[in-house]
């Protein structure tokens, strides 16, 4: 099969800004893209999956300067962390683009010149609200205050109106062409509900777009006029062209453009559905088939964001469960166009009920029976033993539906279909009771038939589930004695009857271990947020133990006196490797030094702490946190964003002084 004869499928995520903290929301977009890429690859398409990082702009420049780094050095560090996360989530991207790559920078300059020659980019004067302290223009959508001025969303200072020379993109010329395109291609914006929003925004009239700044230095210079820097969106969006070889690998570019689907959070849909196609029309490119604005994962009903301090760290889940349960939960729980509310209880419910019970037990039981009744290889039931057709027919029907649902980005519905089939297989085993047949020698052909049917159903189902849970389903194929990995078998070639009699099955190991809610939440509160709010969660599952009710206990004076509260002086503070929220402190207690670990890294930098006096509980039972024995605990208030605020003494106190 030659690479160019197959239909292509090109899927992208947005490039993530290196100044952001990656959370479940970023993981979500990337997981959806990965599932689609793997599914389309199985179905025989020539797939290209692009993700990457956006590394230019003032915020990066500033954040780097604060750390004494060059912007590129800061970006390099962050990119390392992004790549680690994608590895931990089993993301199979084909290329990771960074906007600081020379191929990208050259490509963007070429595209800029092309539009300039055409007259779609022209020099003018940009007038806008400007933050003197941050030296940058505010985004246009920052609202006016009652007093008639704007306030900087970054530093909170009042801003002034400034004008500067800049280059504009003639967006106004593309209002009608965009509306025409929307009318002819109703699936251009998905979900369909968002098409109306986008079209009505365009109908209200499009103003030309300023696409360069002289106040931003860290970015791609305008060709021939280097005091101007190309502004973030014009730079970033073109990664979708340069990432598949625009300006550097023409053959690859022609193979994969136009994109099949650009995926992104709904908050940046407008940039992708209006500005991006306008840039492309101006450049004479074909437009992507679909831009898909997926919903947000909310935490306690608010959007996760760094400034709110409510971001969910994917590693907290990965440490307990590995990638597959998280991948499964995120696409199973809600349709990708809608918002979902992330709760640890709902997550555990899915893992315990869908994965451990329905799927995990089916695999475990079936393989264990094949092992104990047939020494790992099912015998031929023989020609006399009638065939059961129900599971085979059910499989074919399910597979056909799932194929259409995967292709329509309806991942949650695809999983519903698959689980409906899994429950049919479970019912088949429950009704046939093979464990009873095993006691009757004359029932052996029937026993072989029943276990064969179940094993064939498991083999086929795990192939179909492979895009969602690649590492677990690869293990299942290993257990079943398949010589190949699921991704090596084309979708069309994997039938129910592809399972072979006599295939040697291995002893299975549990794929989805059960985790108790209390253990999981306990860990969540140590390493994730020091103040996990006791907000009511929408769905406390029946299977999982409910979190213990918090009651206010009365403490007697004698009990209080047992607590040894003391003043400690911080001698040393340093980050805990691999933990973003923890600091390791060395403190002086007057008569001795102690080591302690505290979840304060979001509020304090190590260098701010040395020499400060604070209160610790000196006789708390030591606990090992991230491999470090914490020999005391500090007292801190918890801000509404979940940050720890330490009460420091406002005058000198001797370390070791008792606090009562
Ligand atoms: Zn500011």
């Amino acid at each position: 099969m030659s690479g160019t004869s197959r239909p292509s499928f090109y899927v992208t995520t947005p490039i993530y800004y290196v100044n952001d903290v990656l959370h479940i929301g970023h993981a979500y977009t990337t997981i959806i893209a990965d599932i689609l890429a793997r599914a389309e690859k199985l179905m025989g398409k020539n797939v290209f999956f692009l993700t990457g990082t956006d590394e230019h702009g003032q915020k990066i420049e500033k954040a780097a300067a604060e750390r004494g780094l060059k912007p590129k050095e800061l970006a390099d560090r962050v990119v390392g962390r992004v790549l680690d996360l994608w590895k931990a989530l089993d993301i199979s991207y084909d290329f990771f683009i960074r906007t600081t790559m020379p191929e990208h920078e050259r490509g963007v300059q070429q595209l800029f010149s092309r539009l300039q020659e055409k007259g779609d980019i022209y020099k003018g004067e940009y007038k806008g609200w400007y933050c003197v302290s941050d030296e940058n223009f505010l985004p246009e959508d920052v609202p006016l205050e009652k007093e008639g001025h704007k306030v900087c969303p970054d530093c909170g200072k009042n801003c002034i109106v400034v004008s500067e020379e800049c280059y504009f993109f003639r967006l106004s010329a593309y209002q009608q062409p965009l509306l025409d395109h929307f009318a002819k291609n109703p699936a251009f914006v998905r979900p369909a509900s968002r098409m109306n929003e986008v079209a009505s925004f365009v109908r209200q009239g499009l103003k030309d777009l300023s696409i360069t700044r002289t106040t931003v230095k860290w970015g791609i210079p305008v060709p021939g006029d280097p005091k101007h820097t190309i502004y973030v969106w014009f730079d970033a969006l073109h990664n979708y062209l340069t990432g598949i070889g625009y300006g550097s690998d023409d053959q690859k570019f022609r193979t994969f453009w136009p994109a099949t689907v650009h995926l992104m959070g709904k908050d940046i849909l407008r940039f992708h559905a209006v500005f991006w196609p306008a840039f492309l029309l101006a450049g004479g490119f074909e437009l992507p088939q679909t831009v898909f604005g997926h919903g947000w994962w909310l935490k306690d009903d608010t959007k996760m964001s760094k400034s709110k301090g409510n971001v969910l760290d994917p590693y907290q889940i990965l440490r307990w469960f590995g990638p597959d349960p998280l991948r499964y939960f995120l696409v199973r729980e809600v349709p990708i166009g809608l918002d979902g509310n992330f709760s640890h209880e709902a997550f555990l419910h899915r893992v315990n009920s869908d994965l451990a019970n329905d799927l995990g037990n089916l695999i475990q039981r079936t393989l264990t029976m094949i092992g104990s009744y047939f020494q790992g290889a099912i015998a031929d039931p023989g020609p006399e033993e009638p065939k059961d057709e129900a599971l085979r027919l059910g499989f074919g029907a399910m597979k056909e539906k799932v194929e259409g649902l995967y292709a329509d980005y309806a991942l949650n519905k695809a999983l519903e279909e698959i689980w409906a089939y899994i429950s049919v297989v479970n019912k088949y085993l429950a009704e046939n009771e093979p464990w009873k047949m095993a006691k009757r020698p004359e029932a052996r052909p029937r026993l072989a038939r029943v276990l064969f049917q179940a094993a064939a159903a498991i083999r086929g189902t795990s192939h179909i589930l492979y895009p969602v849970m690649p590492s677990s389903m690869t293990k299942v194929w290993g257990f079943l004695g398949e010589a190949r990995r699921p991704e090596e078998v084309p979708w069309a070639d994997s039938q129910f009857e592809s399972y072979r009699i006599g295939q040697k099955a291995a002893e299975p190991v549990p794929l989805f271990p059960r985790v108790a809610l209390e253990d999981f939440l306990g860990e969540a509160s140590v390493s994730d947020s020091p103040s996990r709010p006791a907000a009511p969660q929408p769905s406390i599952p029946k299977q999982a133990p409910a979190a213990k009710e918090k009651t206010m206990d009365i403490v007697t004076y004698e009990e209080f006196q047992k607590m040894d509260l003391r003043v400690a002086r911080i001698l040393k503070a340093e980050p805990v490797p691999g933990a973003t929220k923890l600091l390791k402190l060395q403190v002086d207690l007057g008569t001795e030094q102690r080591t302690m670990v505290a979840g304060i890294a979001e509020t304090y930098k190590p260098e701010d702490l040395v020499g400060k006096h604070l209160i610790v509980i000196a006789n708390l039972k030591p606990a090992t946190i991230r491999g470090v024995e914490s020999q005391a605990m500090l007292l801190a208030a918890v801000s509404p964003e979940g940050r720890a605020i330490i009460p420091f003494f406002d005058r000198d106190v001797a370390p070791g002084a008792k606090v009562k």
Side-chain angles (χ1 to χ4, degrees), residues 13 44 126 133 242 283 294 322 394 398 405 437 477 525 533 576 631 644-645:
T13 73
Y126 178 72
S133 137
T242 59
H294 66 68
M398 177 270 282
L405 293 166
M437 292 175 192
W477 273 38
S525 59
V576 174
Q631 302 154 332
I645 316 278

Side-chain angles (χ1 to χ4, degrees), residues 120-421:
D120 274 335
I121 287 179
Y122 63 91
K123 206 181 237 185
E125 180 127 305
Y126 178 72
K127 205 167 152 196
W129 288 92
Y130 183 82
C131 173
V132 178
S133 137
D134 287 331
E135 298 174 12
N136 63 353
F137 282 97
L138 269 47
E140 303 251 350
D141 56 3
V142 172
L144 267 182
E145 300 293 310
K146 281 195 293 289
E147 297 79 10
H149 63 266
K150 289 193 178 185
V151 167
C152 172
D154 289 329
C155 69
K157 291 191 180 131
N158 289 345
C159 296
I160 53 169
V161 174
V162 164
S163 43
E164 67 163 18
E165 184 188 83
C166 86
Y167 288 88
F168 282 91
F169 171 71
R170 207 179 292 283
L171 183 62
S172 55
Y174 291 92
Q175 178 170 351
Q176 200 49 48
L178 284 173
L179 290 171
D180 294 345
H181 185 77
F182 297 162
K184 267 185 244 139
N185 301 275
F188 177 68
V189 174
R190 293 195 60 186
S193 57
R194 301 227 163 88
M195 177 54 117
N196 290 336
E197 274 167 47
V198 169
S200 83
F201 171 78
V202 174
R203 245 179 262 118
Q204 281 164 25
L206 296 176
K207 278 192 292 184
D208 289 353
L209 200 62
S210 123
I211 54 166
T212 64
R213 291 287 182 272
T214 52
T215 49
V216 177
K217 292 285 157 250
W218 177 236
I220 304 173
V222 167
D225 197 357
K227 81 176 160 95
H228 294 268
T229 304
I230 296 173
Y231 196 53
V232 181
W233 282 107
F234 191 88
D235 166 4
L237 285 165
H238 283 102
N239 91 87
Y240 301 133
L241 300 182
T242 59
I244 48 165
Y246 173 80
S248 60
D249 183 345
D250 207 36
Q251 155 112 39
K252 183 155 92 185
F253 181 72
R254 275 187 281 113
T255 304
F256 292 107
W257 192 259
T260 316
V261 57
H262 294 308
L263 290 166
M264 76 235 44
K266 62 183 182 180
D267 47 330
I268 52 170
L269 177 65
R270 187 180 292 176
F271 296 98
H272 284 82
V274 180
F275 300 170
W276 177 230
F279 295 157
L280 288 169
L281 287 171
F285 295 97
E286 269 186 80
L287 297 194
Q289 228 167 63
T290 292
V291 294
F292 199 118
H294 66 68
W296 289 336
W297 276 100
L298 312 174
K299 183 75 188 93
D300 306 318
D301 293 312
T302 45
K303 190 189 180 219
M304 285 180 217
S305 74
K306 195 165 75 164
S307 57
K308 287 200 199 93
N310 67 343
V311 299
L312 271 174
D313 172 10
Y315 280 109
Q316 189 228 316
I317 289 169
L318 288 169
R319 273 195 298 276
W320 282 93
F321 300 95
D324 287 351
L326 181 59
R327 293 169 62 106
Y328 172 76
F329 174 79
L330 291 178
V331 295
R332 171 64 184 84
E333 197 68 0
V334 284
I336 58 180
L338 302 181
D339 290 347
N341 196 31
F342 195 98
S343 91
H344 290 84
E345 287 82 355
F347 172 73
L348 265 198
H349 175 60
R350 283 276 173 217
V351 174
N352 287 339
S353 132
D354 299 8
L355 298 183
N357 274 354
D358 300 345
L359 178 61
N361 277 350
L362 171 64
I363 295 166
Q364 193 77 18
R365 272 202 298 174
T366 305
L367 286 162
T368 306
M369 287 191 281
I370 295 173
S372 35
Y373 307 151
F374 293 100
Q375 287 73 52
I378 302 171
D380 192 335
E384 308 295 296
E385 181 55 39
K387 283 192 173 177
D388 272 348
E389 289 293 72
L391 290 192
R392 187 178 68 82
L393 296 175
F395 177 80
M398 177 270 282
K399 185 173 171 178
E400 199 182 312
K401 277 189 208 152
V402 169
E403 183 173 336
L405 293 166
Y406 273 161
D408 196 36
Y409 315 119
L411 301 180
N412 69 316
K413 288 209 179 113
L415 291 169
E416 275 172 31
E417 288 293 336
I418 297 170
W419 254 258
Y421 182 69

Side-chain angles (χ1 to χ4, degrees), residues 507-552:
E507 186 88 3
V509 289
L511 288 170
F512 307 107
R514 289 173 160 280
V515 174
L517 182 69
E518 282 158 317
D519 293 343
F520 181 45
L521 291 186
E523 204 262 1
S525 59
V526 170
S527 74
D528 193 43
S529 63
S531 66
R532 209 179 160 273
Q537 298 291 350
S539 58
I540 303 229
K542 285 177 215 97
Q543 281 88 337
K548 274 189 192 131
E549 285 279 305
K550 282 213 171 72
T551 52
M552 183 66 90

